[in-house]
Amino acid sequence: MSSVLRLALLLVLATAGLWAGRADAQVQRTERIAAELVPMSAWASPGSTAVVAVRQDIAAGWHTYWRNPGDSGGATTLSWTLPSGVSAGDIVWPLPERQRLQGLMNYGYSDEVYLPVPIEVPASARPGDVMPLAVEGLFMVCSDEMCVPDELTLRLDLPVAAGAAPLDPSHGAAIERVLTSAPRPAALVARVTREGETLRLTVTGPEVAGLEGAGRAGDDVYFFPFTGGVIDHPGEQVLSRGPDGLTLVLPAGRAVLTGGLNAPLAGVLATPDGAWEITAEIGEPLPGASGAASGPSLAAVAQAALFALLGGLILNLMPCVFPVLAIKAAALSASAHDRAEARRDGLAFLAGVLTTFLVLALVLIALRAAGQALGWGFQLQAPPVIAALALLMLAVGLNLSGLFEIGLSAQGAGSRLTRLPGGAGAFFTGVLAVVVAAPCTAPFMAAALGAALVMPAPLAVGVFLMLGLGLALPYLLVSLSPALLRRLPRPGPWMSRFKALLAFPMYGAAGWLGWVFARQAGADALALLLAAAVALALGLQLWGWAQQAHAAGRTARLPGAAAGLALVLTLGLTALAAGAARAPAGADTPAGAGLAAAAWSPEAVAEARAAGKVVLVNFTADWCVTCKINERVALSTSPVQAALEEANAVYLVGDWTLRDDAIAAELARHGRSGVPLYLLYTPGEDAPRLLPQLLTPGLVAEAVRTAADAPPA
């Protein structure tokens, strides 16, 4: 009987101690959050591990953050004050919510959340004592418009008693549920492989083997990295399943794109059957982890394909492509009254366009898979390519001027116009149209190609081919339509004069490419390229004389041999020019199109934004015709200059004339694969506004004034 009385007395004392401890655990509040330190169990036993939790009651429209907050915000931090011998472990983080805000993705919590923390109780703790626990909590509490760091001091007096303790009646069950569902270690094997601008994460093990269900990652499977900047948080995670596990293709973040993948990838893999903490070592993909990929949604693929088709159609109106299409239009007019020939030319032109786009897509995808940060127009970042294109434009112009013929026959030599014969000529013109289209970016193209380059390779190739179809479609429709063909003028002397005039856009293109080459490679390399151009013109003139002699039935060994030597000299001088390429003096000073500009860098953006300034960023390149037109007709005008001065704005230029992985990473972060890209940062807003690819002075000036007049967040 005496033992029963002692047990009852002990329970009464423990309950009284618990009540006293809970009475001191007061809720601390701000306008945005209420927080308190609460226990899972009614008391703590000597030598055991007790669990307490920081309970957050978050106001509607606000949220706090996980250990990796994502693209903005900051994780909750705890600083403990504990009795001697008592220690606190790390936060047991519940699985976070994915919180998308404009172009950002954050990881955090809303409404109510418990953050459990294990507390090691020393064996020397005496039943009947009370452990005073205190913690300084720093909560970054954010809404869609602003973030506020709230610092609160939370206290709990936790009773000490012998024996197993029951759950706290108010919070114990909720904390237990968090501990049960929280991500935990598992017997999983994981590997991560960098493939261009993506990371391939493969995971195998019993917990992920045989997972059923379709849908892209994010519906039922998602990877939360522990460290920010390793993946692009807003990007889509593409899932495929294999018999032994699964594969996630993750868009790489800025840290990987600029610094490489240098450490294992750690984080939480959330699945329908639970969430698991994994650490993926760098290595080859694991066998059995992949199968049929769920891939991007059908709507995303259809939108990218439609945008690519529209972009290709508009590309026909851009200054890069128009001269080549004018040449083909003249050729079509010549065959307009022969339906079979017109149809053949239209299909051959389409084949040339699609073949070239296919080659470009495969090369671009392969280089990105090898770790290169490249985008649309990547070939124009190489001075040797610019040099070759300049000479090609010169050769086309000389051909149109009648200096030499391609496919010249013995009959009718004097009356033939300068053009490539038949389907071969149409095919080559399609190739040439794509080659010269690279410096231009039409509306819709940027979004389409940006989406394509994070898709699986077959889908990406399909989007590129849709862009090619858009470029070739007008010419193809005319060639296949008898009604439209009848409206074209008949061949006559006008065609000779028209083709001679078309030579001059080619000369202009050659001169412009020479200027780009000088910007990339310097004056010495330009001198060698000009010498190569003279040698090329001489060689083609000699070749033309040899053709005429051969057509007249005479031998032309000397002109032919001299032409060959001149063309060999051209190749040698071009190689020397490419080899002499260097960054020209002052290349690090951005071309601000007449505006006071500074070089773009993430640090420059952060510094200007920290000062509360409007920031306009212009990602451009000397070889980008669209960029230069925008700078001439919009960015360099007095209305834009006045708006920037009134707003005390900072104007930054990211020059992508030569390859720059940091700029490529920034383009990819905003869903773009090439220039131009225009970003306008408003003070107090996390995400920038993306301006259109075709600018007007009024549009830019109004956007700058709107950003400057925006109320502070």
Side-chain angles (χ1 to χ4, degrees):
M1 184 66 177
S2 60
S3 61
V4 174
L5 287 174
R6 286 196 300 271
L7 180 59
L9 180 60
L10 180 62
L11 288 174
V12 169
L13 291 173
T15 303
L18 173 60
W19 178 257
R22 295 187 62 207
D24 289 341
Q26 297 181 355
V27 177
Q28 302 297 310
R29 300 179 182 276
T30 70
E31 297 178 1
R32 297 157 292 278
I33 186 173
E36 58 182 327
L37 188 60
V38 296
M40 186 176 80
S41 302
W43 63 74
S45 301
S48 68
T49 300
V51 176
V52 299
V54 174
R55 175 182 172 271
Q56 302 175 24
D57 186 4
I58 306 164
W62 296 83
H63 55 267
T64 59
Y65 292 93
W66 188 55
R67 58 184 295 178
N68 170 17
D71 290 327
S72 64
T76 296
T77 60
L78 303 177
S79 179
W80 292 90
T81 301
L82 303 171
S84 177
V86 179
S87 62
D90 295 330
I91 297 172
V92 179
W93 294 94
L95 193 68
E97 305 164 359
R98 297 191 297 276
Q99 301 164 338
R100 188 176 291 275
L101 175 63
Q102 298 180 17
L104 305 178
M105 173 72 82
N106 296 325
Y107 303 138
Y109 310 102
S110 58
D111 299 327
E112 182 185 57
V113 65
Y114 289 86
L115 300 183
V117 177
I119 302 293
E120 298 298 329
V121 182
S124 59
R126 293 181 302 177
D129 286 351
V130 173
M131 292 190 306
L133 309 179
V135 62
E136 295 280 348
L138 179 59
F139 308 93
M140 185 64 71
V141 192
C142 297
S143 68
D144 291 350
E145 299 178 351
M146 63 184 301
C147 286
V148 180
D150 282 333
E151 190 169 4
L152 301 173
T153 300
L154 312 178
R155 302 181 186 278
L156 171 68
D157 289 338
L158 184 63
V160 179
L167 292 177
D168 176 81
S170 298
H171 304 286
I175 298 174
E176 188 176 51
R177 284 194 298 271
V178 171
L179 291 175
T180 301
S181 62
R184 53 198 181 276
L188 295 173
V189 180
R191 296 288 184 272
V192 61
T193 309
R194 181 178 178 185
E195 298 178 347
E197 294 187 8
T198 63
L199 300 177
R200 181 173 294 273
L201 174 65
T202 53
V203 186
T204 59
E207 291 83 357
V208 294
L211 286 176
E212 299 297 333
R216 61 187 181 279
D219 294 337
D220 56 358
V221 177
Y222 192 88
F223 178 72
F224 296 89
F226 286 153
T227 304
V230 179
I231 72 168
D232 181 31
H233 301 112
E236 189 174 38
Q237 300 185 6
V238 180
L239 169 70
S240 64
R241 299 177 174 88
D244 301 324
L246 57 84
T247 296
L248 284 174
V249 178
L250 313 171
R254 179 183 295 171
V256 172
L257 294 174
T258 57
L261 181 63
N262 303 313
L265 178 62
V268 171
L269 180 67
T271 76
D273 296 336
W276 320 100
E277 292 184 356
I278 63 172
T279 299
E281 300 292 335
I282 300 173
E284 293 299 314
L286 296 169
S290 63
S294 58
S297 65
L298 180 61
V301 175
Q303 177 178 292
L306 176 61
F307 280 9
L309 181 66
L310 293 174
L313 286 168
I314 298 173
L315 199 58
N316 285 284
L317 304 177
M318 305 302 283
C320 314
V321 184
F322 183 76
V324 175
L325 294 186
I327 294 171
K328 206 58 217 162
L332 182 61
S333 180
S335 59
H337 301 280
D338 185 334
R339 294 181 184 176
E341 184 179 351
R343 186 165 52 249
R344 179 204 64 195
D345 280 4
L347 294 174
F349 178 73
L350 174 66
V353 169
L354 294 183
T355 299
T356 312
F357 265 109
L358 176 63
V359 171
L360 276 177
L362 293 176
V363 171
L364 181 55
I365 291 170
L367 290 175
R368 287 166 68 94
Q372 305 295 311
L374 301 172
W376 174 252
F378 70 96
Q379 68 274 24
L380 299 180
Q381 294 175 326
V385 174
I386 291 291
L389 286 177
L391 296 178
L392 176 62
M393 295 299 105
L394 175 62
V396 172
L398 293 175
N399 174 256
L400 291 170
S401 293
L403 203 67
F404 70 102
E405 300 274 359
I406 298 177
L408 184 64
S409 65
Q411 285 138 359
S415 62
R416 285 188 56 121
L417 297 171
T418 301
R419 68 178 181 91
L420 288 172
F427 183 90
F428 174 77
T429 306
V431 172
L432 188 61
V434 178
V435 170
V436 300
C440 283
T441 301
F444 301 105
M445 272 183 61
L449 296 183
L453 291 177
V454 296
M455 291 179 180
L459 295 178
V461 169
V463 173
F464 271 85
L465 292 180
M466 286 297 289
L467 180 61
L469 177 61
L471 178 62
L473 194 57
Y475 181 84
L476 178 66
L477 291 178
V478 171
S479 69
L480 297 179
S481 172
L484 292 175
L485 287 172
R486 283 195 296 269
R487 294 179 177 274
L488 294 177
R490 291 186 174 274
W494 69 270
M495 292 186 64
S496 178
R497 293 189 293 271
F498 182 60
K499 289 189 175 183
L501 288 175
L502 289 178
F504 290 93
M506 296 295 102
Y507 296 143
W512 167 70
L513 288 167
W515 172 78
V516 173
F517 182 79
R519 295 273 299 174
Q520 291 179 330
D524 292 343
L526 176 62
L528 290 169
L529 180 61
L530 293 176
V534 173
L536 176 65
L538 174 61
L540 293 178
Q541 177 66 84
L542 293 170
W543 185 18
W545 288 343
Q547 286 180 316
Q548 294 173 9
H550 180 72
R554 302 191 305 270
T555 59
R557 294 177 182 175
L558 183 59
L565 290 175
L567 295 177
V568 170
L569 179 60
T570 300
L571 294 176
L573 290 169
T574 305
L576 288 174
R582 59 172 180 80
D588 58 344
T589 302
L595 297 175
W600 171 88
S601 69
E603 295 75 19
V605 174
E607 180 180 352
R609 297 189 65 203
K613 295 190 175 185
V614 174
V615 183
L616 175 61
V617 182
N618 170 18
F619 290 104
T620 183
D622 286 337
W623 43 260
C624 170
V625 174
T626 309
C627 305
K628 293 306 169 187
I629 291 175
N630 283 334
E631 290 168 8
R632 177 67 61 184
V633 304
L635 294 176
S636 64
T637 59
S638 55
V640 173
Q641 179 76 56
L644 290 170
E645 291 176 353
E646 291 169 9
N648 194 24
V650 174
Y651 179 54
L652 301 176
V653 174
D655 191 348
W656 211 38
T657 301
L658 295 173
R659 178 177 167 180
D660 186 314
D661 288 350
I663 291 178
E666 187 70 9
L667 294 173
R669 201 166 75 88
H670 296 285
R672 297 291 187 263
S673 66
V675 290
L677 174 64
Y678 306 103
L679 304 179
L680 183 64
Y681 291 88
T682 299
E685 295 186 6
D686 290 330
R689 173 184 173 185
L690 275 66
L691 299 183
Q693 289 176 288
L694 297 179
L695 302 178
T696 64
L699 184 151
V700 179
E702 181 62 27
V704 171
R705 292 192 180 96
T706 300
D709 295 339

